[in-house]
Amino acid sequence: MAIFPSPCSSSSSSSSSSTASFGSSTTAKTWIVHGIVAGVAIAAAVGARAYMTRFQKFRSRVVGIIPARYASSRFQGKPLVQILGKPMIQRTWERAKLAVTLDHLVVATDDEKIADCCRQFGADVIMTSESCKNGTERCNEALQKLGKNYDIVVNIQGDEPLIEPEIIDGVVKALQAAPDAVFSTAVTSLKPEDAHDPNRVKCVLDNSGYAIYFSRGLIPFNKSGKVNPQFPYLLHLGIQSYDAKFLRIYPDLQPTPLQLEEDLEQLKVLENGYKMKVIKVNHEAHGVDTPEDVGKLESLMRERNLS
């Protein structure tokens, strides 16, 4: 008598085999998925670390340059004027040395009297040409003569002897955080009494903090032609920083109509389509533009016990 295997037993055996095969396949797929996810996570972590490393190194090497010339049309010998017993250039130097973002600080001048004065109080000096048209060109020449690689050059105006070190650090950090900008500077609130002073340069910004325009006249200018006490007018502070690569090409840019008409070098940057990042600071401007400003500054320093 022939004995045939039970259909039930055959089905059960086949089912067990299929289940084992399916489970094995599912496990394999699960491991593959986990492997892919882990690989993506590792790649993301490596990429993030590389990005952060590049970000941390972006425009990291910074030099501060104080351009100083003797033959100023408005105030000859201004860097050497005494302010409560110290040359103005020395006071500017001492304030700038307190900035934490500067790797190096130098004075760039075309005058031996200024150079000798600076060396006496311990400043590093770079001699530059008398043909430099403005402070930016003087900074560029000094940068070339330094012979070192810097990513950012900070132009620190020598006629701001009470400049806050935090403002220097602020314009450096602003340029480091704005890769689409080649230039950064600072503004503060404009006092109503300075609204029509051509030595007090005004500025207007867009909603993202980039400069639209600078002027010696009042901007914006309303229909009444009067100062609007409710409007937050902005005063440009002389400090500015540049991407070092841009600074090298700046002298080769042709002078522009607005730059020449206003006699403001930053307008050449804007007219050529470059972006300029601007920070707002709470700082009273105490620039020395004329001999009369010296007495005002000394009186202020006495009032505030600033030596």
Side-chain angles (χ1 to χ4, degrees):
M1 177 174 154
I3 302 176
F4 296 98
S6 164
C8 288
S9 112
S10 174
S11 173
S12 175
S13 175
S14 174
S15 175
S16 297
S17 176
S18 296
T19 300
S21 175
F22 177 76
S24 175
S25 174
T26 301
T27 301
K29 288 179 181 178
T30 300
W31 279 109
I32 290 172
V33 169
H34 283 312
I36 292 172
V37 171
V40 169
I42 292 171
V46 171
R49 178 175 295 182
Y51 174 79
M52 290 304 296
T53 300
R54 287 197 301 271
F55 181 78
Q56 290 168 358
K57 291 181 179 179
F58 182 64
R59 294 174 174 167
S60 61
R61 296 162 296 183
V62 184
V63 60
I65 300 178
I66 305 174
R69 65 190 183 104
Y70 191 89
S72 170
S73 58
R74 288 182 293 177
F75 192 170
Q76 188 165 351
K78 183 167 64 171
L80 300 180
V81 67
Q82 293 287 310
I83 297 180
L84 295 185
K86 286 184 180 181
M88 184 165 64
I89 188 71
Q90 180 177 353
R91 290 195 174 277
T92 304
W93 168 270
E94 290 173 350
R95 298 294 293 173
K97 285 288 285 183
L98 299 176
V100 299
T101 54
L102 300 182
D103 297 304
H104 190 37
L105 179 65
V106 300
V107 173
T109 185
D110 57 4
D111 186 87
E112 284 294 344
K113 294 185 288 295
I114 294 176
D116 289 341
C117 173
C118 292
R119 293 186 185 109
Q120 287 177 25
F121 62 76
D124 291 336
V125 179
I126 299 291
M127 297 304 298
T128 54
S129 169
E130 293 182 3
S131 64
C132 293
K133 298 182 181 67
N134 50 49
T136 303
E137 290 194 9
R138 197 170 303 282
C139 285
N140 177 55
E141 183 178 337
L143 176 65
Q144 309 311 316
K145 290 188 174 180
L146 278 170
K148 295 182 179 179
N149 291 323
Y150 290 101
D151 304 307
I152 291 178
V153 178
V154 189
N155 179 345
I156 303 166
Q157 299 296 308
D159 56 8
E160 274 276 351
L162 297 184
I163 184 71
E164 297 290 346
E166 291 81 6
I167 296 178
I168 298 174
D169 293 332
V171 296
V172 169
K173 292 174 182 178
L175 193 55
Q176 289 172 330
D180 57 341
V182 299
F183 193 116
S184 66
T185 188
V187 295
T188 191
S189 297
L190 176 71
K191 295 179 179 179
E193 59 266 31
D194 292 333
H196 298 293
D197 183 348
N199 292 318
R200 298 292 189 254
V201 176
K202 295 78 178 177
C203 178
V204 287
L205 311 177
D206 68 14
N207 290 335
S208 298
Y210 290 88
I212 298 174
Y213 193 67
F214 296 85
S215 180
R216 295 187 181 278
L218 182 63
I219 51 173
F221 191 79
N222 58 53
K223 291 181 179 180
S224 72
K226 298 177 181 179
V227 176
N228 179 0
Q230 305 304 317
F231 191 87
Y233 298 101
L234 297 176
L235 171 68
H236 179 227
L237 300 176
I239 185 168
Q240 44 207 27
S241 68
Y242 327 93
D243 178 276
K245 293 178 181 177
F246 169 76
L247 182 60
R248 292 187 179 94
I249 68 171
Y250 174 87
D252 296 327
L253 297 176
Q254 291 300 308
T256 53
L258 296 175
Q259 173 205 1
L260 295 174
E261 184 64 19
E262 295 258 18
D263 190 23
L264 295 174
E265 58 184 285
Q266 60 267 35
L267 290 178
K268 184 166 78 166
V269 180
L270 296 181
E271 284 185 90
N272 277 283
Y274 294 98
K275 299 193 74 170
M276 186 181 303
K277 189 69 174 177
V278 181
I279 61 170
K280 296 179 183 179
V281 298
N282 183 18
H283 175 70
E284 291 186 47
H286 302 297
V288 177
D289 296 303
T290 66
E292 292 74 26
D293 291 333
V294 176
K296 297 176 184 177
L297 183 61
E298 288 184 326
S299 296
L300 176 69
M301 292 176 68
R302 290 191 187 98
E303 290 173 7
R304 299 185 179 182
N305 294 319
L306 299 173
S307 58

